Amino acid sequence: MNWQDRIVSDKNILIGKPTIKGTRISVEFVLDRLANGWTEQTLLESYPHLTKEDLQAVFSCLNDCVKDGLLVEIRS
């Protein structure tokens, strides 16, 4: 999947945070919901304009960030 087709950044939308194309839903928002126990199904039911492909793009984007070392070091 080419996540760049679905994840965009525009300085005029949410201060440039990465969002799902055509929405004001940020990657951060999706990840926060999932981290707090929401399921993919709950997200899709709560935000019917989201698709499974949008969520896959979020995961793919995050995966690329981890592979490319764009995330900060996790300290214990």
Side-chain angles (χ1 to χ4, degrees), residues 20-40:
I20 296 171
K21 189 174 189 175
T23 76
R24 295 181 65 81
I25 297 175
S26 69
V27 168
E28 175 186 11
F29 177 83
V30 171
L31 294 174
D32 182 64
R33 293 301 176 268
L34 292 168
N36 283 292
W38 286 42
T39 64
E40 288 182 37

Side-chain angles (χ1 to χ4, degrees), residues 33 44-46 49 60 63:
R33 293 301 176 268
L44 294 172
E45 289 171 359
S46 299
H49 50 281
S60 184
N63 184 52

Side-chain angles (χ1 to χ4, degrees), residues 1 7 10-11 19 23 29 33-34 51 74:
M1 155 166 284
I7 305 294
D10 179 337
K11 66 179 181 174
T19 59
T23 76
F29 177 83
R33 293 301 176 268
L34 292 168
T51 66
I74 298 174

